[in-house]
Coordinates of all heavy atoms in Angstrom, one line a residue:
K16 N -11.3 -1.2 -155.0 CA -11.4 0.1 -154.3 C -10.0 0.6 -153.8 O -9.7 1.8 -154.0 CB -12.3 -0.1 -153.0 CG -13.7 -0.2 -153.3 CD -14.4 1.1 -153.3 CE -15.9 1.0 -153.3 NZ -16.6 2.3 -153.3
L17 N -9.2 -0.3 -153.3 CA -7.9 0.2 -152.8 C -7.0 0.6 -154.0 O -6.3 1.6 -153.9 CB -7.2 -1.0 -152.0 CG -7.9 -1.3 -150.7 CD1 -7.4 -2.7 -150.2 CD2 -7.5 -0.3 -149.6
H18 N -7.1 -0.1 -155.0 CA -6.3 0.2 -156.2 C -6.7 1.6 -156.7 O -5.9 2.5 -157.1 CB -6.5 -0.8 -157.3 CG -5.5 -0.7 -158.5 ND1 -5.7 0.2 -159.5 CD2 -4.3 -1.2 -158.7 CE1 -4.7 0.1 -160.4 NE2 -3.8 -0.7 -159.9
G19 N -8.1 1.8 -156.7 CA -8.6 3.1 -157.2 C -8.2 4.3 -156.3 O -8.0 5.4 -156.8
F20 N -8.0 4.0 -155.0 CA -7.6 5.1 -154.1 C -6.1 5.4 -154.2 O -5.6 6.3 -153.6 CB -7.9 4.7 -152.6 CG -9.4 4.6 -152.3 CD1 -9.9 4.0 -151.2 CD2 -10.4 5.2 -153.2 CE1 -11.2 3.9 -150.9 CE2 -11.7 5.2 -152.9 CZ -12.2 4.5 -151.8
G21 N -5.4 4.5 -154.9 CA -3.9 4.7 -155.0 C -3.1 4.1 -153.9 O -1.9 4.4 -153.7
C22 N -3.7 3.1 -153.2 CA -2.9 2.3 -152.2 C -1.8 1.6 -152.8 O -1.9 1.0 -153.9 CB -3.9 1.3 -151.5 SG -3.1 0.5 -150.1
D23 N -0.6 1.6 -152.2 CA 0.6 1.0 -152.8 C 0.6 -0.5 -152.8 O 1.0 -1.1 -153.8 CB 1.9 1.6 -152.1 CG 2.0 3.1 -152.2 OD1 2.1 3.6 -153.3 OD2 2.0 3.7 -151.1
E24 N 0.2 -1.1 -151.7 CA 0.4 -2.5 -151.5 C -0.9 -3.1 -150.8 O -1.6 -2.4 -150.1 CB 1.6 -2.9 -150.7 CG 2.9 -2.5 -151.3 CD 4.1 -2.8 -150.4 OE1 3.9 -2.8 -149.2 OE2 5.2 -3.1 -150.9
I25 N -1.0 -4.4 -151.0 CA -2.1 -5.1 -150.3 C -1.5 -6.4 -149.7 O -0.5 -6.9 -150.2 CB -3.3 -5.5 -151.2 CG1 -2.9 -6.5 -152.3 CG2 -4.0 -4.2 -151.7 CD1 -4.1 -7.1 -153.0
Q26 N -2.2 -6.9 -148.7 CA -1.8 -8.1 -148.0 C -3.1 -8.8 -147.4 O -4.0 -8.1 -147.0 CB -0.9 -7.8 -146.8 CG -0.5 -8.9 -145.9 CD 0.4 -8.4 -144.8 OE1 0.9 -7.3 -144.8 NE2 0.6 -9.3 -143.8
G27 N -3.2 -10.1 -147.6 CA -4.4 -10.7 -147.1 C -4.7 -12.0 -147.7 O -4.0 -12.5 -148.6
Y28 N -5.8 -12.6 -147.4 CA -6.2 -14.0 -147.9 C -6.5 -13.9 -149.3 O -6.5 -15.0 -150.0 CB -7.4 -14.5 -147.1 CG -7.0 -15.0 -145.7 CD1 -7.9 -15.0 -144.7 CD2 -5.7 -15.6 -145.5 CE1 -7.6 -15.5 -143.4 CE2 -5.4 -16.0 -144.2 CZ -6.3 -16.0 -143.2 OH -5.9 -16.5 -141.9
L29 N -6.8 -12.8 -149.9 CA -7.0 -12.7 -151.4 C -5.8 -13.2 -152.1 O -5.8 -13.8 -153.2 CB -7.4 -11.3 -151.8 CG -7.7 -11.1 -153.3 CD1 -9.0 -11.9 -153.7 CD2 -7.9 -9.6 -153.6
I30 N -4.6 -12.9 -151.5 CA -3.4 -13.3 -152.1 C -3.0 -14.6 -151.6 O -2.8 -15.6 -152.3 CB -2.3 -12.2 -151.8 CG1 -2.7 -10.8 -152.2 CG2 -0.9 -12.6 -152.4 CD1 -3.0 -10.7 -153.7
S31 N -2.9 -14.8 -150.2 CA -2.5 -16.0 -149.6 C -2.7 -15.9 -148.1 O -2.4 -14.9 -147.5 CB -1.1 -16.4 -150.0 OG -0.7 -17.6 -149.3
Q32 N -3.0 -17.0 -147.5 CA -3.0 -17.1 -146.1 C -1.5 -17.3 -145.6 O -0.7 -17.7 -146.4 CB -3.9 -18.2 -145.6 CG -3.4 -19.6 -146.0 CD -4.4 -20.7 -145.6 OE1 -5.6 -20.5 -145.7 NE2 -3.9 -21.8 -145.2
P33 N -1.2 -17.1 -144.4 CA 0.2 -17.3 -143.9 C 0.6 -18.8 -144.0 O -0.2 -19.6 -143.7 CB 0.2 -16.8 -142.5 CG -1.0 -15.9 -142.4 CD -2.0 -16.4 -143.3
K34 N 1.8 -19.0 -144.5 CA 2.3 -20.4 -144.6 C 3.8 -20.4 -144.3 O 4.4 -19.3 -144.3 CB 2.1 -20.9 -146.1 CG 0.7 -20.9 -146.5 CD 0.6 -21.3 -148.0 CE -0.8 -21.3 -148.5 NZ -0.9 -21.6 -150.0
P35 N 4.4 -21.6 -144.1 CA 5.8 -21.7 -144.1 C 6.5 -21.1 -145.3 O 5.9 -21.2 -146.4 CB 6.1 -23.1 -143.9 CG 4.8 -23.7 -143.3 CD 3.7 -22.9 -143.9
L36 N 7.6 -20.6 -145.2 CA 8.3 -19.9 -146.4 C 8.5 -20.9 -147.5 O 8.4 -20.6 -148.7 CB 9.6 -19.3 -146.0 CG 10.3 -18.4 -147.1 CD1 9.4 -17.3 -147.5 CD2 11.6 -17.9 -146.5
S37 N 8.7 -22.2 -147.2 CA 8.9 -23.2 -148.2 C 7.7 -23.4 -149.2 O 7.8 -23.9 -150.3 CB 9.2 -24.6 -147.6 OG 8.1 -25.0 -146.7
A38 N 6.5 -22.9 -148.7 CA 5.3 -23.0 -149.6 C 5.3 -22.0 -150.7 O 4.6 -22.2 -151.7 CB 4.1 -22.8 -148.7
F39 N 6.2 -21.1 -150.6 CA 6.3 -20.0 -151.7 C 7.5 -20.2 -152.5 O 8.3 -19.3 -152.8 CB 6.3 -18.6 -151.0 CG 5.1 -18.4 -150.2 CD1 5.2 -18.4 -148.8 CD2 3.8 -18.1 -150.7 CE1 4.1 -18.2 -148.0 CE2 2.7 -17.9 -149.9 CZ 2.9 -17.9 -148.5
R40 N 7.8 -21.5 -152.9 CA 9.0 -21.8 -153.7 C 9.0 -21.0 -155.0 O 10.1 -20.6 -155.5 CB 9.0 -23.3 -154.0 CG 10.3 -23.8 -154.6 CD 10.3 -25.3 -154.6 NE 10.2 -25.8 -153.3 CZ 10.0 -27.1 -153.0 NH1 9.8 -28.0 -154.0 NH2 9.9 -27.5 -151.7
Q41 N 7.9 -20.8 -155.6 CA 7.9 -20.0 -156.9 C 8.4 -18.6 -156.8 O 9.0 -18.1 -157.7 CB 6.5 -20.0 -157.5 CG 5.5 -19.2 -156.6 CD 4.1 -19.3 -157.1 OE1 3.5 -20.4 -157.2 NE2 3.5 -18.2 -157.5
V42 N 8.2 -18.0 -155.6 CA 8.7 -16.7 -155.3 C 10.2 -16.8 -155.0 O 11.0 -16.0 -155.5 CB 8.0 -16.1 -154.1 CG1 8.6 -14.7 -153.8 CG2 6.5 -15.9 -154.5
V43 N 10.6 -17.8 -154.1 CA 11.9 -17.9 -153.7 C 12.9 -18.2 -154.9 O 14.0 -17.7 -155.0 CB 12.1 -19.0 -152.6 CG1 13.5 -19.2 -152.2 CG2 11.2 -18.6 -151.4

């Protein structure tokens, strides 16, 4: 729905719950 409405970004548990930054090594 959000993509269809043209929303720019999303944030939430569908992507990931909050974690220490070290848990996102693949991004870093």
